[in-house]
Short mmCIF file of all heavy atoms in Angstrom, two decimals:
data_model
loop_
_atom_site.label_atom_id
_atom_site.label_comp_id
_atom_site.label_asym_id
_atom_site.label_seq_id
_atom_site.Cartn_x
_atom_site.Cartn_y
_atom_site.Cartn_z
N ALA A 48 91.53 -61.88 -18.74
CA ALA A 48 91.11 -60.54 -19.13
C ALA A 48 89.79 -60.65 -19.89
O ALA A 48 89.59 -61.58 -20.66
CB ALA A 48 92.16 -59.89 -20.01
N PRO A 49 88.89 -59.67 -19.69
CA PRO A 49 87.62 -59.72 -20.42
C PRO A 49 87.81 -59.60 -21.94
O PRO A 49 87.06 -60.18 -22.71
CB PRO A 49 86.85 -58.52 -19.89
CG PRO A 49 87.58 -58.01 -18.73
CD PRO A 49 88.96 -58.58 -18.74
N ASP A 50 88.83 -58.85 -22.35
CA ASP A 50 89.16 -58.74 -23.79
C ASP A 50 90.59 -59.22 -23.93
O ASP A 50 91.54 -58.48 -23.66
CB ASP A 50 89.01 -57.30 -24.28
CG ASP A 50 89.37 -57.15 -25.73
OD1 ASP A 50 89.72 -58.15 -26.39
OD2 ASP A 50 89.30 -56.01 -26.23
N PRO A 51 90.77 -60.46 -24.39
CA PRO A 51 92.11 -61.01 -24.48
C PRO A 51 92.96 -60.52 -25.65
O PRO A 51 94.12 -60.89 -25.76
CB PRO A 51 91.88 -62.50 -24.60
CG PRO A 51 90.57 -62.58 -25.30
CD PRO A 51 89.77 -61.43 -24.79
N GLY A 52 92.36 -59.69 -26.52
CA GLY A 52 93.11 -59.16 -27.64
C GLY A 52 93.67 -60.27 -28.50
O GLY A 52 93.03 -61.28 -28.75
N PRO A 53 94.95 -60.13 -28.92
CA PRO A 53 95.52 -61.12 -29.82
C PRO A 53 95.75 -62.49 -29.18
O PRO A 53 96.00 -63.46 -29.89
CB PRO A 53 96.84 -60.48 -30.26
CG PRO A 53 97.14 -59.44 -29.26
CD PRO A 53 95.81 -58.98 -28.69
N ALA A 54 95.65 -62.58 -27.83
CA ALA A 54 95.78 -63.89 -27.21
C ALA A 54 94.62 -64.78 -27.58
O ALA A 54 94.73 -66.01 -27.60
CB ALA A 54 95.87 -63.74 -25.68
N GLY A 55 93.48 -64.18 -27.88
CA GLY A 55 92.32 -64.95 -28.36
C GLY A 55 91.60 -65.71 -27.27
O GLY A 55 91.55 -65.31 -26.10
N PHE A 56 91.06 -66.85 -27.72
CA PHE A 56 90.19 -67.65 -26.86
C PHE A 56 90.60 -69.11 -26.93
O PHE A 56 91.28 -69.53 -27.90
CB PHE A 56 88.74 -67.50 -27.30
CG PHE A 56 88.27 -66.07 -27.25
CD1 PHE A 56 88.38 -65.24 -28.35
CD2 PHE A 56 87.76 -65.54 -26.07
CE1 PHE A 56 87.97 -63.91 -28.31
CE2 PHE A 56 87.36 -64.22 -26.01
CZ PHE A 56 87.47 -63.40 -27.12
N THR A 57 90.23 -69.87 -25.94
CA THR A 57 90.55 -71.29 -25.92
C THR A 57 89.34 -72.15 -26.20
O THR A 57 89.45 -73.37 -26.31
CB THR A 57 91.16 -71.71 -24.58
OG1 THR A 57 90.23 -71.47 -23.53
CG2 THR A 57 92.46 -70.96 -24.32
N GLY A 58 88.17 -71.54 -26.30
CA GLY A 58 86.94 -72.31 -26.55
C GLY A 58 85.72 -71.54 -26.16
O GLY A 58 85.78 -70.32 -25.92
N SER A 59 84.60 -72.25 -26.12
CA SER A 59 83.32 -71.64 -25.80
C SER A 59 82.45 -72.59 -25.00
O SER A 59 82.59 -73.80 -25.09
CB SER A 59 82.55 -71.30 -27.10
OG SER A 59 83.27 -70.48 -27.93
N LEU A 60 81.52 -71.99 -24.26
CA LEU A 60 80.50 -72.76 -23.50
C LEU A 60 79.15 -72.24 -23.93
O LEU A 60 78.90 -71.03 -23.94
CB LEU A 60 80.67 -72.56 -22.01
CG LEU A 60 79.55 -73.09 -21.11
CD1 LEU A 60 79.44 -74.62 -21.21
CD2 LEU A 60 79.73 -72.65 -19.69
N ILE A 61 78.25 -73.19 -24.25
CA ILE A 61 76.87 -72.89 -24.55
C ILE A 61 76.04 -73.82 -23.70
O ILE A 61 76.28 -75.03 -23.67
CB ILE A 61 76.54 -73.12 -26.04
CG1 ILE A 61 77.41 -72.22 -26.92
CG2 ILE A 61 75.05 -72.92 -26.32
CD1 ILE A 61 77.45 -72.65 -28.37
N VAL A 62 75.07 -73.27 -22.98
CA VAL A 62 74.11 -74.11 -22.24
C VAL A 62 72.73 -73.75 -22.77
O VAL A 62 72.30 -72.59 -22.65
CB VAL A 62 74.19 -73.91 -20.71
CG1 VAL A 62 73.20 -74.80 -20.01
CG2 VAL A 62 75.60 -74.18 -20.19
N ALA A 63 72.08 -74.73 -23.38
CA ALA A 63 70.79 -74.46 -24.01
C ALA A 63 69.91 -75.69 -23.92
O ALA A 63 70.37 -76.80 -23.66
CB ALA A 63 70.99 -74.10 -25.48
N GLU A 64 68.63 -75.45 -24.13
CA GLU A 64 67.63 -76.52 -24.03
C GLU A 64 67.40 -77.14 -25.42
O GLU A 64 67.24 -76.45 -26.42
CB GLU A 64 66.32 -75.93 -23.52
CG GLU A 64 65.28 -76.96 -23.20
CD GLU A 64 64.04 -76.33 -22.56
OE1 GLU A 64 63.86 -75.11 -22.70
OE2 GLU A 64 63.29 -77.08 -21.92
N PHE A 65 67.42 -78.47 -25.44
CA PHE A 65 67.16 -79.24 -26.65
C PHE A 65 66.25 -80.41 -26.28
O PHE A 65 66.23 -80.84 -25.12
CB PHE A 65 68.48 -79.75 -27.25
CG PHE A 65 69.36 -78.68 -27.79
CD1 PHE A 65 70.36 -78.13 -26.99
CD2 PHE A 65 69.21 -78.22 -29.08
CE1 PHE A 65 71.19 -77.10 -27.46
CE2 PHE A 65 70.03 -77.22 -29.57
CZ PHE A 65 71.01 -76.65 -28.77
N PRO A 66 65.55 -80.98 -27.23
CA PRO A 66 64.65 -82.08 -26.94
C PRO A 66 65.38 -83.39 -26.60
O PRO A 66 64.79 -84.28 -25.96
CB PRO A 66 63.79 -82.26 -28.19
CG PRO A 66 64.54 -81.56 -29.29
CD PRO A 66 65.39 -80.52 -28.62
N SER A 67 66.66 -83.51 -27.00
CA SER A 67 67.41 -84.73 -26.74
C SER A 67 68.91 -84.48 -26.90
O SER A 67 69.31 -83.46 -27.48
CB SER A 67 66.98 -85.83 -27.71
OG SER A 67 67.38 -85.49 -29.04
N LEU A 68 69.69 -85.42 -26.42
CA LEU A 68 71.13 -85.33 -26.59
C LEU A 68 71.48 -85.38 -28.08
O LEU A 68 72.37 -84.65 -28.55
CB LEU A 68 71.81 -86.48 -25.84
CG LEU A 68 73.32 -86.57 -25.93
CD1 LEU A 68 73.98 -85.29 -25.42
CD2 LEU A 68 73.82 -87.78 -25.12
N THR A 69 70.78 -86.20 -28.82
CA THR A 69 71.02 -86.29 -30.27
C THR A 69 70.76 -84.95 -30.94
O THR A 69 71.56 -84.51 -31.80
CB THR A 69 70.11 -87.37 -30.89
OG1 THR A 69 70.41 -88.61 -30.27
CG2 THR A 69 70.33 -87.50 -32.38
N ALA A 70 69.70 -84.27 -30.55
CA ALA A 70 69.38 -82.93 -31.14
C ALA A 70 70.45 -81.91 -30.76
O ALA A 70 70.85 -81.08 -31.58
CB ALA A 70 68.01 -82.47 -30.71
N ALA A 71 70.91 -81.97 -29.52
CA ALA A 71 71.96 -81.03 -29.05
C ALA A 71 73.26 -81.28 -29.83
O ALA A 71 73.91 -80.32 -30.26
CB ALA A 71 72.19 -81.18 -27.56
N ARG A 72 73.62 -82.52 -30.03
CA ARG A 72 74.85 -82.84 -30.79
C ARG A 72 74.71 -82.39 -32.23
O ARG A 72 75.66 -81.86 -32.80
CB ARG A 72 75.12 -84.34 -30.73
CG ARG A 72 75.70 -84.77 -29.41
CD ARG A 72 76.13 -86.22 -29.44
NE ARG A 72 76.72 -86.59 -28.16
CZ ARG A 72 76.58 -87.77 -27.58
NH1 ARG A 72 75.90 -88.72 -28.17
NH2 ARG A 72 77.15 -88.00 -26.42
N ALA A 73 73.55 -82.61 -32.83
CA ALA A 73 73.35 -82.18 -34.22
C ALA A 73 73.47 -80.66 -34.33
O ALA A 73 74.08 -80.15 -35.29
CB ALA A 73 72.00 -82.66 -34.71
N TRP A 74 72.89 -79.94 -33.38
CA TRP A 74 72.99 -78.47 -33.39
C TRP A 74 74.47 -78.06 -33.26
O TRP A 74 74.94 -77.19 -33.97
CB TRP A 74 72.15 -77.88 -32.27
CG TRP A 74 72.02 -76.39 -32.32
CD1 TRP A 74 71.06 -75.69 -32.96
CD2 TRP A 74 72.92 -75.44 -31.74
NE1 TRP A 74 71.31 -74.32 -32.81
CE2 TRP A 74 72.43 -74.16 -32.05
CE3 TRP A 74 74.07 -75.55 -30.98
CZ2 TRP A 74 73.07 -72.99 -31.63
CZ3 TRP A 74 74.73 -74.39 -30.56
CH2 TRP A 74 74.20 -73.14 -30.89
N ALA A 75 75.18 -78.67 -32.32
CA ALA A 75 76.60 -78.35 -32.10
C ALA A 75 77.44 -78.66 -33.34
O ALA A 75 78.33 -77.88 -33.69
CB ALA A 75 77.13 -79.12 -30.88
N ASP A 76 77.17 -79.78 -33.99
CA ASP A 76 77.93 -80.16 -35.19
C ASP A 76 77.73 -79.17 -36.33
O ASP A 76 78.59 -79.04 -37.20
CB ASP A 76 77.52 -81.57 -35.65
CG ASP A 76 78.03 -82.67 -34.74
OD1 ASP A 76 78.92 -82.39 -33.90
OD2 ASP A 76 77.51 -83.79 -34.84
N ALA A 77 76.61 -78.46 -36.34
CA ALA A 77 76.32 -77.49 -37.40
C ALA A 77 76.82 -76.09 -37.08
O ALA A 77 76.56 -75.16 -37.83
CB ALA A 77 74.81 -77.46 -37.67
N ASP A 78 77.55 -75.91 -35.99
CA ASP A 78 78.04 -74.59 -35.59
C ASP A 78 79.01 -74.04 -36.62
O ASP A 78 79.87 -74.78 -37.12
CB ASP A 78 78.72 -74.68 -34.22
CG ASP A 78 78.95 -73.31 -33.62
OD1 ASP A 78 79.79 -72.57 -34.15
OD2 ASP A 78 78.27 -72.98 -32.65
N PRO A 79 78.91 -72.77 -36.95
CA PRO A 79 79.86 -72.16 -37.89
C PRO A 79 81.33 -72.27 -37.45
O PRO A 79 82.22 -72.31 -38.29
CB PRO A 79 79.42 -70.70 -37.95
CG PRO A 79 77.96 -70.77 -37.66
CD PRO A 79 77.81 -71.85 -36.64
N TYR A 80 81.57 -72.32 -36.15
CA TYR A 80 82.96 -72.50 -35.69
C TYR A 80 83.50 -73.88 -36.07
O TYR A 80 84.69 -74.02 -36.32
CB TYR A 80 83.07 -72.27 -34.18
CG TYR A 80 82.99 -70.83 -33.75
CD1 TYR A 80 82.87 -70.53 -32.41
CD2 TYR A 80 83.04 -69.78 -34.64
CE1 TYR A 80 82.79 -69.19 -31.96
CE2 TYR A 80 82.96 -68.46 -34.23
CZ TYR A 80 82.85 -68.18 -32.87
OH TYR A 80 82.79 -66.88 -32.45
N VAL A 81 82.64 -74.87 -36.11
CA VAL A 81 83.04 -76.21 -36.56
C VAL A 81 83.40 -76.15 -38.05
O VAL A 81 84.47 -76.60 -38.47
CB VAL A 81 81.94 -77.25 -36.29
CG1 VAL A 81 82.28 -78.59 -36.95
CG2 VAL A 81 81.71 -77.42 -34.79
N ALA A 82 82.51 -75.56 -38.84
CA ALA A 82 82.74 -75.46 -40.29
C ALA A 82 83.99 -74.65 -40.62
O ALA A 82 84.71 -74.96 -41.58
CB ALA A 82 81.52 -74.82 -40.97
N ALA A 83 84.30 -73.63 -39.79
CA ALA A 83 85.47 -72.79 -40.04
C ALA A 83 86.78 -73.40 -39.52
O ALA A 83 87.83 -72.82 -39.70
CB ALA A 83 85.25 -71.40 -39.41
N GLY A 84 86.68 -74.54 -38.85
CA GLY A 84 87.89 -75.17 -38.31
C GLY A 84 88.41 -74.55 -37.04
O GLY A 84 89.55 -74.77 -36.66
#
Side-chain angles (χ1 to χ4, degrees):
D50 180 0
F56 301 91
T57 61
S59 303
L60 169 66
I61 299 163
V62 181
E64 188 174 20
F65 293 93
S67 67
L68 179 58
T69 301
R72 284 186 178 144
W74 189 91
D76 288 344
D78 193 291
Y80 286 169
V81 172

